[in-house]
Amino acid sequence: MNGGTEGRETVGADATTDATSDGADATTDTTDTTGTTTNGTDATTDTTDTTGTTTNGTDAITDAAVRNRPAHSASARPSPSGSGTGWRTPAHAARTRPAHSAPTRPPRSVRARPGPPARVPRRAAPRRLLLLCLALALAVTALPGCGGPTGTQRGVTILAPWTEEEAAAFEALLDQFTDRTGIEVNYQGTPAQREVLLSEVQAGTAPDLAVIPGPGELADYARNRDLIPLDGIADPGEYDEPWLARPAGEEHTYWLPVKADLKSIVWHEKGAQPERFADDPARWCVGMGADAIWGWPGSDWIEDILLQQSGTDVYEKWVTGKLPWTSPEVRRAWTTWGGFLTPDGARRALLTDYRGPDGGDGLLFDPGADCDLEHQGSFARVHIYHDRADETDFELSSEILPRARSSARHREVSGDYVAMFQDSDEGRQLMAFLVSADTQRTWAESSRTPVFSANSRVTPASYGDEVDRRIARELREADALCLDASDAMPPPVRNVFHQKILEYLADPGDVDTVLEDLQRLQDSLDPAETSWLSSVCG
């Protein structure tokens, strides 16, 4: 899954301590951080609490997932419940408009979204005032030399996860769009975009566009008819599979990729010789802690191991719900990872935040972690290594993952996808602008932080750093790309997958129970109420 959200919370570490001492019962607490949402996002608590009731065996997991999965009706929207916790106002919320903006344009009205904007009720206008307004409107449109956009154009609101430097780079693109079209864009950036979006959809105040990292969540929205089909907006010659994956049984495209990340890589310090450490479990940086979704780094390990060991056909069948969790291939991937980690390593992973200590530059540069290799996506340079990003290099996971090395160039990837919730010509223009080769190339070249593109016409030459160019090259030249499995799965399955990672680390000898629980949960879901993707590799 995507790991871009920054920040810290303390509840997870204490809860994970319980996990290692009390077994599966205590791991429940590691993910039950959903009770602190504010400003209309309390509704998201139920959608993410599928991971909080697995203490008494599989039946409890099944009941919890069915009880908490989204009810797909007009009154209850599908649950994109990945982040789980309440959200904090990002640090950039009060900052002034970035220096890149045009000085004559009014500032974008919202930087961080604490909830749906208040709506001002309409009032009937007096007849005289109405006539005056009509006369003024006719006079303005009749003025000579007043070309360009008029007041008939509506603005566009877009909700996305980017804050700080990433938000500044994205807003620079929006400025270019406004300069070109005259259409104003209201950008709302928050790392809790999943919770905010769910709350607004349920309230009937969804943004025009939203950026979400999970196609599994978007498939739920599409099934509930919350999304507008986007056929014909993107040039099909610019996007290869699997970036245009669709929900099973659907003929329409409902989301388009605006950013991409490579996940089948292992980071190390420049100049190191990673092959010297690859088979030593103590030399690997492993942490399961996160603000909300504890366990997702472990799911990345298992997904990548399965892809490298068994290939794309097996991987795709598993991710699309056609291959059981109890299959020999899936079981082998779990035991490969569990067998590689020592008991001390597993215990340490449960107690460790994947980003390392507060204020640091990740586990790779933490003297206390004393590790040399880290399996993380390309986003790590921005969100983990910070000021020491230039000191990092990587190897492809197929060449270095213990017991999972492969000669095939199969790569796991993730993405940020834009979807349309309110149809308008202005929104469609913005969508087409964002996914075009020119905009994607401009974003890659101008951003101070790496922005990798799924657009096939954005070449590695757009990146000034050699490490970034290598990542872009793999996104272009790999034999096959496969979407992150947990991102593509239905949210109830994904949520329990992440929790079972923690339970497995607490008791690596109980892999069969873990996999049977996951399969039982998956089998319990109503096919009519569950959205799978038709394909995830290409």
Side-chain angles (χ1 to χ4, degrees):
M1 105 164 249
N2 273 333
T5 303
E6 299 185 30
R8 291 290 188 275
E9 291 184 7
T10 58
V11 64
D14 294 338
T16 322
T17 304
D18 295 339
T20 60
S21 60
D22 296 326
D25 288 350
T27 54
T28 300
D29 295 337
T30 62
T31 51
D32 191 12
T33 60
T34 60
T36 56
T37 54
T38 59
N39 298 316
T41 61
D42 288 341
T44 62
T45 298
D46 292 340
T47 66
T48 56
D49 200 23
T50 58
T51 61
T53 52
T54 59
T55 60
N56 295 315
T58 308
D59 293 339
I61 296 173
T62 303
D63 293 344
V66 172
R67 183 175 66 253
N68 291 304
R69 68 173 287 103
H72 299 284
S73 65
S75 61
R77 299 300 188 181
S79 164
S81 56
S83 297
T85 68
W87 64 285
R88 302 173 300 278
T89 302
H92 78 287
R95 67 180 173 84
T96 57
R97 184 162 183 79
H100 65 260
S101 60
T104 57
R105 185 180 301 122
R108 304 194 192 283
S109 60
V110 179
R111 288 289 184 258
R113 188 162 180 90
R119 294 183 176 271
V120 179
R122 296 176 183 268
R123 300 178 60 187
R127 177 181 178 85
R128 185 177 302 172
L129 179 59
L130 179 60
L131 292 174
L132 177 60
C133 291
L134 289 173
L136 288 173
L138 290 172
V140 168
T141 55
L143 289 174
C146 292
T150 71
T152 59
Q153 285 185 313
R154 66 187 291 271
V156 179
T157 297
I158 181 168
L159 175 70
W162 306 306
T163 60
E164 302 298 340
E165 284 189 274
E166 290 181 296
F170 185 62
E171 288 184 282
L173 297 179
L174 300 182
D175 289 344
Q176 294 179 24
F177 173 77
T178 299
D179 290 341
R180 185 178 303 178
T181 65
I183 300 170
E184 289 290 339
V185 182
N186 173 23
Y187 175 66
Q188 301 166 351
T190 170
Q193 85 281 11
R194 282 167 160 160
E195 291 83 2
V196 174
L197 177 61
L198 175 62
S199 176
E200 295 191 354
V201 169
Q202 290 178 331
T205 57
D208 297 293
L209 311 179
V211 178
I212 291 289
E217 295 171 16
L218 290 170
D220 257 359
Y221 279 123
R223 180 178 51 76
N224 204 39
R225 299 296 178 248
D226 290 313
L227 299 185
I228 307 300
L230 304 176
D231 306 319
I233 288 183
D235 184 341
E238 295 180 355
Y239 289 94
D240 304 319
E241 296 298 334
W243 298 113
L244 299 181
R246 297 173 179 175
E250 281 284 356
E251 298 181 355
H252 298 293
T253 297
Y254 285 99
W255 55 81
L256 298 169
V258 289
K259 285 182 69 176
D261 274 300
L262 180 65
K263 307 201 83 172
S264 293
I265 55 180
V266 174
W267 293 100
H268 59 83
E269 290 190 58
K270 282 185 177 178
Q273 296 178 309
E275 62 277 1
R276 292 174 49 201
F277 314 116
D279 294 319
D280 182 356
R283 310 315 303 166
W284 286 80
C285 312
V286 184
M288 296 297 108
D291 284 342
I293 316 172
W294 284 65
W296 71 258
S299 69
D300 281 0
W301 270 87
I302 289 171
E303 293 160 9
D304 203 7
I305 289 173
L306 178 66
L307 179 60
Q308 305 309 328
Q309 286 182 337
S310 301
T312 57
D313 289 344
V314 167
Y315 184 92
E316 182 162 82
K317 289 178 182 177
W318 173 57
V319 181
T320 56
K322 299 179 180 68
L323 182 72
W325 288 86
T326 52
S327 68
E329 297 90 344
V330 176
R331 187 183 190 281
R332 181 186 174 202
W334 281 74
T335 57
T336 295
W337 185 52
F340 174 68
L341 292 174
T342 65
D344 285 344
R347 206 160 27 244
R348 186 168 56 250
L350 282 170
L351 299 170
T352 302
D353 191 302
Y354 81 95
R355 295 156 297 192
D358 283 325
D361 296 304
L363 294 173
L364 195 61
F365 296 100
D366 176 26
D370 191 25
C371 54
D372 303 283
L373 301 171
E374 186 164 25
H375 182 265
Q376 279 290 0
S378 53
F379 55 78
R381 296 195 93 195
V382 177
H383 294 287
I384 300 178
Y385 304 135
H386 304 301
D387 294 337
R388 304 190 69 172
D390 291 341
E391 301 175 40
T392 59
D393 203 348
F394 72 89
E395 302 294 326
L396 296 167
S397 61
S398 59
E399 300 172 0
I400 200 170
L401 276 186
R403 308 174 193 174
R405 297 179 182 119
S406 170
S407 59
R409 295 185 66 183
H410 299 156
R411 309 290 179 241
E412 184 182 7
V413 295
S414 63
D416 288 321
Y417 303 87
V418 63
M420 177 176 283
F421 288 80
Q422 306 285 350
D423 198 3
S424 70
D425 180 63
E426 292 84 355
R428 290 178 177 273
Q429 289 184 56
L430 180 56
M431 292 277 282
F433 171 82
L434 290 175
V435 301
S436 69
D438 286 345
T439 299
Q440 290 281 301
R441 190 177 300 111
T442 298
W443 199 0
E445 292 173 351
S446 62
S447 176
R448 294 181 58 187
T449 57
V451 175
F452 300 106
S453 176
N455 192 300
S456 61
R457 295 183 184 173
V458 180
T459 67
S462 296
Y463 301 89
D465 180 274
E466 177 57 29
V467 173
D468 293 343
R469 284 194 292 271
R470 287 177 56 211
I471 292 172
R473 194 173 299 119
E474 285 299 320
L475 289 170
R476 299 281 83 77
E477 299 176 4
D479 293 337
L481 300 179
C482 293
L483 298 180
D484 180 292
S486 55
D487 283 353
M489 291 175 175
V493 178
R494 175 202 61 204
N495 293 345
V496 179
F497 181 15
H498 291 151
Q499 184 202 344
K500 286 299 180 180
I501 293 289
L502 304 176
E503 293 186 14
Y504 180 58
L505 288 176
D507 185 8
D510 200 19
V511 65
D512 289 323
T513 298
V514 165
L515 296 179
E516 289 166 5
D517 286 352
L518 280 162
Q519 187 59 43
R520 193 171 303 161
L521 173 278
Q522 185 165 301
D523 291 343
S524 73
L525 301 177
D526 183 353
E529 294 291 317
T530 306
S531 300
W532 296 88
L533 300 189
S534 59
S535 174
V536 297
C537 294

